[in-house]
Amino acid sequence: MIYPIVAYGDPVLRKKAQDIKADYPNLTALIDDMFETMYAASGIGLAAPQIGKSIRLFIVDATPFEDDEDLSEADRMLLSQFKKVFINAQIVQERGDEWVFNEGCLSIPDVREDVFRKDEITIKYWDTDFKEHEEVFSGIAARIIQHEYDHIDGILFTDHLSALKKRMIKGKLTQISKGLVRADYRMKYPLAKKKR
Ligand code: NI
C-alpha cells in the first residue's frame, strides 16, 4: 500500500518519535509499505513520520546510486548494497570534517539546498529481527542516515540552513503546506483548503 507523504508544516514532522517494541502491530507490512511508498516517489530514504507515524523507524535504499557517474567507484560499490531498515536508532557519535551536499526531501518537494554535516557517524539500531547493531558509516551513506535520523527527532534539512536562506525559502515552504506545489507522488498537505 502506498501512503501519501506528509508535507512540510504537518506537526507530525516536528515530533520526537517514540521507540517501538518487537510486537508493534503489523510491522513487517508497514515496512513493506514504506519501501513501496518510497519507490513510488523515487526517494532514497523515508522516515515513518513522513507517512504520519511518530515512531523511530526509517528506511534507506541508495542502490540507484550504483549507476551514478558522478560518484567514485568506491562509493558506487558501497551504495550498491546500501538498503537497510533502522529501528529505534540512536546516533552515538558524529565526527570528522563537515562537508556540503545538496539535499532534498520528499516532504519538501521542489526545494534543494546545500547542507553541511559531519562526515562520519556511529549509530546504534535494531534490524527487522530486533537484533541490535552498532555500525560506522561515512560519506554519502552517513549523509542519507543523518537526514532520515533527523526526521525521527523532528528535524528537517531546512533547519540546518542559514537565517538568510531560511528567509529566502519561507514563502515556498508555506506554499508547500497549502498544497500549492506539484509533486509527482501523492501528498497530504496540512493547510490544503480541500481534499486533493
Ligand atoms: Ni526527508
Side-chain angles (χ1 to χ4, degrees):
M1 179 184 113
I2 295 175
Y3 283 88
I5 290 179
V6 168
Y8 183 95
D10 192 304
V12 75
L13 295 176
R14 290 311 193 176
K15 276 196 210 155
K16 195 171 162 72
Q18 298 298 307
D19 280 346
I20 57 170
K21 298 212 175 78
D23 63 356
Y24 187 85
N26 303 317
L27 183 59
T28 307
L30 174 63
I31 291 167
D32 287 348
D33 289 345
M34 282 179 65
F35 275 107
E36 199 183 340
T37 300
M38 181 177 77
Y39 295 141
S42 305
I44 53 165
L46 184 71
Q50 292 181 280
I51 58 160
K53 295 183 188 299
S54 191
I55 57 175
R56 295 185 81 80
L57 164 63
F58 63 86
I59 60 168
V60 300
D61 184 352
T63 55
F65 275 124
E66 193 179 5
D67 303 316
D68 192 324
E69 309 254 306
D70 294 336
L71 296 175
S72 69
E73 178 76 34
D75 271 344
R76 287 207 301 264
M77 282 279 285
L78 180 85
L79 295 173
S80 70
Q81 297 168 48
F82 189 53
K83 178 182 173 184
K84 273 178 164 317
V85 176
F86 293 83
I87 297 170
N88 300 344
Q90 290 292 341
I91 287 182
V92 180
Q93 203 194 12
E94 287 184 289
R95 60 195 166 271
D97 292 336
E98 292 207 332
W99 64 292
V100 70
F101 187 77
N102 195 247
E103 294 190 25
C105 180
L106 294 177
S107 294
I108 314 176
D110 267 354
V111 176
R112 294 198 70 92
E113 294 292 343
D114 286 347
V115 178
F116 285 87
R117 297 184 194 265
K118 288 188 174 157
D119 180 58
E120 194 171 272
I121 59 164
T122 300
I123 188 167
K124 255 181 12 185
Y125 66 96
W126 279 262
D127 64 20
T128 48
D129 298 320
F130 275 75
K131 208 174 127 226
E132 193 175 352
H133 298 265
E134 183 168 313
E135 285 176 33
V136 175
F137 295 91
S138 60
I140 293 180
R143 171 68 59 148
I144 297 166
I145 293 170
Q146 286 162 319
H147 177 111
E148 298 311 323
Y149 183 84
D150 269 356
H151 276 300
I152 61 171
D153 271 348
I155 298 166
L156 299 169
F157 83 90
T158 48
D159 298 344
H160 294 286
L161 304 176
S162 68
L164 175 65
K165 263 271 150 43
K166 280 181 187 150
R167 275 204 301 282
M168 284 167 63
I169 62 167
K170 194 164 182 256
K172 177 89 195 181
L173 294 177
T174 304
Q175 282 192 315
I176 292 171
S177 302
K178 291 178 175 168
L180 306 173
V181 70
R182 282 224 74 75
D184 49 14
Y185 43 91
R186 198 151 68 94
M187 294 196 77
K188 182 174 163 265
Y189 303 99
L191 301 179
K193 286 268 158 49
K194 55 177 192 262
K195 227 172 167 194
R196 296 159 62 103

